[in-house]
Amino acid sequence: MRSWPPLFRACLAQAVAFGFLALVLRAGLMPRAIHGTGVLVLLGTLAVGTGRGLGLSPRWFPFLLGFPWVVLLLVRHPAPGWVWPVALVLLLVVYGGGILTRVPLYNSNRAAWEALLALLPPYPVRFADLGAGLGGPLAFLARERPDSRFRGVEASPLTCLAAWLRTLPRRGNCRIRWGSLWREDLSGYDVVYAFLSPAPMPALWAKAVREMRPGSLLVSNTFTVPGQEPLRRIPLPGRKDACLLVWKF
Ligand SMILES: C[S@@+](CC[C@H](N)C(=O)[O-])C[C@H]1O[C@@H](n2cnc3c(N)ncnc32)[C@H](O)[C@@H]1O
């Protein structure tokens, strides 16, 4: 279970805590001293304990502790029924692509786009953005390098649509497709760029080693591959650890 995505483990921890407390209450075993907010604190604490057992990082603890309070609030002040399916669908179309791969949506900044541009060889190149997000890097590079071919793959439907619209004026040398980066064949690219998260980097490296051609470049924004020293590390302004990491095959 420790290999399950953290979101599943967090939901499981909550379910175990709720289930356990329900059984204790039903059996009449709850000490009289614990009632009201005490029950909510106990629920959160049980969920944190279970979450720890399931290997969740401490960053999940505020969610595990706060969830029972949110449930109570919603029981007392119920939201209209349509809010939940609409919120779920919105979350899925924007973030759904990254739930299982544990890659959220955040955008690289213009400094990263310019550093990428400076990395491109002077001859026409084929460039892929794995997890294209809102298409910022692709739109910029396709405009600056009309001689080269740019491709993006994005798993979240609405995000993909936004990237598609953004790169529409560059249709001549830039295409975005909706799908999984794991199905993209990397053998046809000179430069492959990814801004993902620490979680998929070992699998991405294995894929790159299998598929990328000699001389091609793998560029990761910020997230490194454990045990693989990059050829170059280009610092970026902004976050303390922001940089482009470059490997040459
Ligand atoms: C951090 S954003 C990077 C956006 C863009 N590349 C940039 O640099 O601005 C990562 C994107 O990868 C997408 N993503 C996550 N897992 C994916 C997968 N398996 N296949 C395709 N896209 C994925 C997410 O939906 C998210 O939009």
Side-chain angles (χ1 to χ4, degrees), residues 94-98 101 103-109 113 129-137 153-156 159 179-182 193-196 221:
V94 178
Y95 293 107
T101 32
V103 180
L105 169 64
Y106 31 73
N107 300 306
S108 51
N109 54 23
W113 307 351
D129 185 351
L130 303 180
L134 299 174
V153 53
E154 170 55 52
S156 296
T159 310
S180 169
L181 66 89
W182 304 114
Y193 168 66
F195 185 18
L196 299 172
N221 191 327

Short mmCIF file of all heavy atoms in Angstrom, two decimals, residues 94-98 101 103-109 113 129-137 153-156 159 179-182 193-196 221, ligand 1:
data_model
loop_
_atom_site.label_atom_id
_atom_site.label_comp_id
_atom_site.label_asym_id
_atom_site.label_seq_id
_atom_site.Cartn_x
_atom_site.Cartn_y
_atom_site.Cartn_z
N VAL A 94 -8.78 19.87 -14.94
CA VAL A 94 -7.58 20.71 -14.84
C VAL A 94 -6.39 19.91 -14.29
O VAL A 94 -5.26 20.03 -14.77
CB VAL A 94 -7.84 21.95 -13.97
CG1 VAL A 94 -6.58 22.79 -13.82
CG2 VAL A 94 -8.94 22.81 -14.58
N TYR A 95 -6.64 19.07 -13.27
CA TYR A 95 -5.53 18.39 -12.61
C TYR A 95 -5.52 16.88 -12.82
O TYR A 95 -4.58 16.21 -12.39
CB TYR A 95 -5.59 18.65 -11.09
CG TYR A 95 -5.35 20.09 -10.73
CD1 TYR A 95 -6.38 20.91 -10.29
CD2 TYR A 95 -4.07 20.63 -10.83
CE1 TYR A 95 -6.16 22.23 -9.97
CE2 TYR A 95 -3.83 21.95 -10.51
CZ TYR A 95 -4.88 22.75 -10.07
OH TYR A 95 -4.65 24.05 -9.76
N GLY A 96 -6.57 16.34 -13.45
CA GLY A 96 -6.73 14.88 -13.53
C GLY A 96 -5.53 14.17 -14.11
O GLY A 96 -5.16 13.09 -13.67
N GLY A 97 -4.88 14.79 -15.11
CA GLY A 97 -3.78 14.11 -15.79
C GLY A 97 -2.63 13.80 -14.87
O GLY A 97 -1.86 12.88 -15.12
N GLY A 98 -2.49 14.58 -13.80
CA GLY A 98 -1.31 14.41 -12.95
C GLY A 98 -1.59 13.69 -11.64
O GLY A 98 -0.68 13.53 -10.83
N THR A 101 0.27 10.27 -11.69
CA THR A 101 1.72 10.46 -11.83
C THR A 101 2.26 11.43 -10.78
O THR A 101 3.46 11.67 -10.74
CB THR A 101 2.07 10.99 -13.24
OG1 THR A 101 1.00 11.81 -13.70
CG2 THR A 101 2.30 9.88 -14.22
N VAL A 103 1.90 14.69 -10.54
CA VAL A 103 2.47 15.90 -11.14
C VAL A 103 1.37 16.96 -11.21
O VAL A 103 0.44 16.82 -12.00
CB VAL A 103 2.97 15.62 -12.58
CG1 VAL A 103 3.55 16.89 -13.18
CG2 VAL A 103 3.99 14.50 -12.58
N PRO A 104 1.44 17.99 -10.41
CA PRO A 104 0.39 19.03 -10.48
C PRO A 104 0.66 19.99 -11.63
O PRO A 104 1.69 19.89 -12.31
CB PRO A 104 0.53 19.74 -9.14
CG PRO A 104 1.94 19.53 -8.73
CD PRO A 104 2.43 18.26 -9.38
N LEU A 105 -0.26 20.94 -11.81
CA LEU A 105 -0.05 21.97 -12.83
C LEU A 105 0.59 23.19 -12.18
O LEU A 105 0.05 23.76 -11.24
CB LEU A 105 -1.41 22.38 -13.43
CG LEU A 105 -1.38 23.62 -14.32
CD1 LEU A 105 -0.52 23.39 -15.57
CD2 LEU A 105 -2.79 24.03 -14.73
N TYR A 106 1.78 23.54 -12.65
CA TYR A 106 2.36 24.85 -12.36
C TYR A 106 3.18 25.21 -13.58
O TYR A 106 3.61 24.34 -14.33
CB TYR A 106 3.20 24.88 -11.08
CG TYR A 106 3.89 23.60 -10.72
CD1 TYR A 106 5.00 23.17 -11.44
CD2 TYR A 106 3.45 22.81 -9.68
CE1 TYR A 106 5.64 21.99 -11.13
CE2 TYR A 106 4.07 21.62 -9.36
CZ TYR A 106 5.16 21.22 -10.09
OH TYR A 106 5.78 20.04 -9.79
N ASN A 107 3.38 26.50 -13.79
CA ASN A 107 3.96 26.92 -15.06
C ASN A 107 5.41 27.34 -14.89
O ASN A 107 5.76 27.99 -13.90
CB ASN A 107 3.17 28.10 -15.63
CG ASN A 107 1.73 27.69 -15.85
OD1 ASN A 107 1.45 26.72 -16.53
ND2 ASN A 107 0.82 28.44 -15.24
N SER A 108 6.22 27.03 -15.87
CA SER A 108 7.59 27.56 -15.86
C SER A 108 7.52 29.04 -16.25
O SER A 108 6.57 29.47 -16.92
CB SER A 108 8.47 26.78 -16.84
OG SER A 108 7.86 26.70 -18.09
N ASN A 109 8.53 29.79 -15.81
CA ASN A 109 8.47 31.24 -16.07
C ASN A 109 9.25 31.60 -17.34
O ASN A 109 9.90 30.75 -17.95
CB ASN A 109 8.97 32.02 -14.86
CG ASN A 109 10.36 31.56 -14.45
OD1 ASN A 109 11.09 31.01 -15.27
ND2 ASN A 109 10.71 31.77 -13.21
N TRP A 113 11.90 29.72 -20.15
CA TRP A 113 11.71 29.63 -21.61
C TRP A 113 12.95 30.14 -22.33
O TRP A 113 13.40 29.55 -23.31
CB TRP A 113 10.51 30.47 -22.07
CG TRP A 113 9.22 30.22 -21.37
CD1 TRP A 113 8.92 29.21 -20.49
CD2 TRP A 113 8.03 31.01 -21.52
NE1 TRP A 113 7.62 29.33 -20.07
CE2 TRP A 113 7.05 30.42 -20.68
CE3 TRP A 113 7.70 32.14 -22.24
CZ2 TRP A 113 5.76 30.95 -20.57
CZ3 TRP A 113 6.42 32.67 -22.14
CH2 TRP A 113 5.46 32.07 -21.30
N ASP A 129 7.71 18.83 -25.29
CA ASP A 129 7.43 19.21 -23.90
C ASP A 129 6.50 18.13 -23.33
O ASP A 129 5.34 18.01 -23.73
CB ASP A 129 6.76 20.59 -23.85
CG ASP A 129 6.56 21.08 -22.41
OD1 ASP A 129 6.78 20.28 -21.48
OD2 ASP A 129 6.18 22.26 -22.23
N LEU A 130 7.02 17.33 -22.39
CA LEU A 130 6.23 16.24 -21.80
C LEU A 130 5.45 16.79 -20.60
O LEU A 130 6.05 17.15 -19.59
CB LEU A 130 7.16 15.11 -21.35
CG LEU A 130 8.07 14.51 -22.43
CD1 LEU A 130 8.95 13.41 -21.85
CD2 LEU A 130 7.25 13.98 -23.60
N GLY A 131 4.15 16.88 -20.73
CA GLY A 131 3.35 17.56 -19.71
C GLY A 131 3.37 19.04 -20.05
O GLY A 131 3.99 19.84 -19.35
N ALA A 132 2.69 19.39 -21.16
CA ALA A 132 2.86 20.74 -21.72
C ALA A 132 2.17 21.83 -20.92
O ALA A 132 2.37 23.01 -21.19
CB ALA A 132 2.36 20.74 -23.16
N GLY A 133 1.33 21.46 -19.95
CA GLY A 133 0.64 22.46 -19.13
C GLY A 133 -0.17 23.40 -20.00
O GLY A 133 -0.90 22.99 -20.90
N LEU A 134 -0.02 24.71 -19.76
CA LEU A 134 -0.79 25.71 -20.51
C LEU A 134 -0.07 26.12 -21.80
O LEU A 134 -0.49 27.07 -22.46
CB LEU A 134 -1.06 26.93 -19.63
CG LEU A 134 -1.89 26.63 -18.37
CD1 LEU A 134 -1.99 27.87 -17.48
CD2 LEU A 134 -3.28 26.14 -18.73
N GLY A 135 1.04 25.45 -22.12
CA GLY A 135 1.68 25.65 -23.42
C GLY A 135 2.62 26.84 -23.51
O GLY A 135 3.06 27.19 -24.60
N GLY A 136 2.95 27.46 -22.37
CA GLY A 136 3.82 28.65 -22.39
C GLY A 136 5.15 28.42 -23.09
O GLY A 136 5.48 29.15 -24.05
N PRO A 137 5.94 27.41 -22.66
CA PRO A 137 7.25 27.22 -23.30
C PRO A 137 7.12 26.93 -24.79
O PRO A 137 7.87 27.49 -25.60
CB PRO A 137 7.83 26.00 -22.57
CG PRO A 137 7.05 25.85 -21.32
CD PRO A 137 5.71 26.47 -21.55
N VAL A 153 2.64 17.15 -25.20
CA VAL A 153 1.63 16.17 -24.82
C VAL A 153 1.17 16.54 -23.41
O VAL A 153 1.99 16.85 -22.54
CB VAL A 153 2.17 14.72 -24.91
CG1 VAL A 153 3.45 14.53 -24.13
CG2 VAL A 153 1.13 13.72 -24.44
N GLU A 154 -0.15 16.58 -23.23
CA GLU A 154 -0.72 17.00 -21.94
C GLU A 154 -1.91 16.10 -21.61
O GLU A 154 -2.77 15.86 -22.45
CB GLU A 154 -1.15 18.48 -22.02
CG GLU A 154 -1.95 18.99 -20.86
CD GLU A 154 -1.28 18.79 -19.50
OE1 GLU A 154 -0.12 19.17 -19.32
OE2 GLU A 154 -1.95 18.23 -18.60
N ALA A 155 -1.94 15.63 -20.35
CA ALA A 155 -2.95 14.64 -19.98
C ALA A 155 -4.26 15.25 -19.47
O ALA A 155 -5.31 14.61 -19.55
CB ALA A 155 -2.38 13.70 -18.91
N SER A 156 -4.24 16.46 -18.93
CA SER A 156 -5.47 17.04 -18.38
C SER A 156 -6.25 17.75 -19.49
O SER A 156 -5.70 18.63 -20.16
CB SER A 156 -5.15 18.05 -17.28
OG SER A 156 -4.55 17.39 -16.21
N THR A 159 -6.63 21.75 -19.49
CA THR A 159 -5.29 22.33 -19.61
C THR A 159 -4.79 22.15 -21.04
O THR A 159 -4.22 23.07 -21.64
CB THR A 159 -4.34 21.61 -18.62
OG1 THR A 159 -4.96 21.60 -17.34
CG2 THR A 159 -3.02 22.29 -18.51
N GLY A 179 -2.98 13.43 -24.14
CA GLY A 179 -2.60 12.04 -23.92
C GLY A 179 -1.55 11.94 -22.85
O GLY A 179 -1.23 12.92 -22.17
N SER A 180 -1.00 10.74 -22.72
CA SER A 180 -0.02 10.49 -21.66
C SER A 180 1.39 10.60 -22.22
O SER A 180 1.69 10.08 -23.30
CB SER A 180 -0.22 9.09 -21.09
OG SER A 180 0.87 8.78 -20.25
N LEU A 181 2.24 11.23 -21.45
CA LEU A 181 3.65 11.35 -21.86
C LEU A 181 4.31 9.98 -21.96
O LEU A 181 5.27 9.80 -22.71
CB LEU A 181 4.41 12.27 -20.90
CG LEU A 181 4.62 11.84 -19.45
CD1 LEU A 181 5.88 11.03 -19.25
CD2 LEU A 181 4.69 13.06 -18.56
N TRP A 182 3.77 9.00 -21.24
CA TRP A 182 4.39 7.66 -21.25
C TRP A 182 4.16 6.96 -22.58
O TRP A 182 4.79 5.97 -22.87
CB TRP A 182 3.85 6.81 -20.10
CG TRP A 182 4.07 7.49 -18.78
CD1 TRP A 182 3.12 7.97 -17.95
CD2 TRP A 182 5.33 7.80 -18.17
NE1 TRP A 182 3.71 8.57 -16.86
CE2 TRP A 182 5.06 8.48 -16.97
CE3 TRP A 182 6.67 7.60 -18.52
CZ2 TRP A 182 6.06 8.93 -16.12
CZ3 TRP A 182 7.67 8.04 -17.67
CH2 TRP A 182 7.35 8.70 -16.49
N TYR A 193 11.92 18.12 -23.11
CA TYR A 193 11.83 18.96 -21.91
C TYR A 193 10.70 18.44 -21.01
O TYR A 193 9.65 18.03 -21.52
CB TYR A 193 11.54 20.40 -22.34
CG TYR A 193 11.15 21.34 -21.21
CD1 TYR A 193 12.04 21.68 -20.20
CD2 TYR A 193 9.86 21.89 -21.17
CE1 TYR A 193 11.67 22.53 -19.18
CE2 TYR A 193 9.49 22.76 -20.15
CZ TYR A 193 10.40 23.08 -19.16
OH TYR A 193 10.03 23.93 -18.15
N ALA A 194 10.93 18.47 -19.71
CA ALA A 194 9.89 18.06 -18.76
C ALA A 194 9.99 18.90 -17.51
O ALA A 194 11.09 19.17 -17.02
CB ALA A 194 10.07 16.58 -18.40
N PHE A 195 8.83 19.35 -17.03
CA PHE A 195 8.76 20.05 -15.73
C PHE A 195 7.67 19.29 -14.97
O PHE A 195 6.49 19.59 -15.10
CB PHE A 195 8.39 21.51 -15.98
CG PHE A 195 8.39 22.38 -14.74
CD1 PHE A 195 9.04 22.00 -13.58
CD2 PHE A 195 7.73 23.60 -14.74
CE1 PHE A 195 9.04 22.80 -12.45
CE2 PHE A 195 7.72 24.42 -13.63
CZ PHE A 195 8.38 24.02 -12.48
N LEU A 196 8.07 18.28 -14.20
CA LEU A 196 7.09 17.36 -13.63
C LEU A 196 7.09 17.42 -12.11
O LEU A 196 6.57 18.35 -11.52
CB LEU A 196 7.36 15.94 -14.16
CG LEU A 196 7.27 15.80 -15.70
CD1 LEU A 196 7.74 14.44 -16.17
CD2 LEU A 196 5.85 16.07 -16.18
N ASN A 221 13.16 20.69 -15.72
CA ASN A 221 13.08 21.92 -14.92
C ASN A 221 13.01 21.50 -13.45
O ASN A 221 12.07 20.83 -13.02
CB ASN A 221 11.82 22.70 -15.33
CG ASN A 221 11.80 24.10 -14.75
OD1 ASN A 221 12.30 24.32 -13.65
ND2 ASN A 221 11.23 25.03 -15.48
C1 LIG B 1 4.35 21.43 -13.88
S1 LIG B 1 3.30 21.37 -15.29
C2 LIG B 1 4.47 21.89 -16.50
C3 LIG B 1 3.86 22.73 -17.60
C4 LIG B 1 4.81 23.18 -18.72
N1 LIG B 1 5.61 22.08 -19.22
C5 LIG B 1 5.70 24.29 -18.27
O1 LIG B 1 6.91 24.06 -18.15
O2 LIG B 1 5.21 25.41 -18.03
C6 LIG B 1 3.20 19.60 -15.53
C7 LIG B 1 2.06 19.18 -16.44
O3 LIG B 1 2.22 17.79 -16.70
C8 LIG B 1 0.94 17.22 -16.86
N2 LIG B 1 1.04 15.76 -16.69
C9 LIG B 1 1.19 15.07 -15.55
N3 LIG B 1 1.28 13.75 -15.78
C10 LIG B 1 1.19 13.62 -17.13
C11 LIG B 1 1.21 12.49 -18.00
N4 LIG B 1 1.36 11.25 -17.54
N5 LIG B 1 1.10 12.70 -19.33
C12 LIG B 1 0.97 13.97 -19.82
N6 LIG B 1 0.92 15.07 -19.04
C13 LIG B 1 1.05 14.90 -17.71
C14 LIG B 1 0.12 17.90 -15.77
O4 LIG B 1 -1.27 17.81 -16.07
C15 LIG B 1 0.67 19.33 -15.83
O5 LIG B 1 -0.10 20.14 -16.68
#
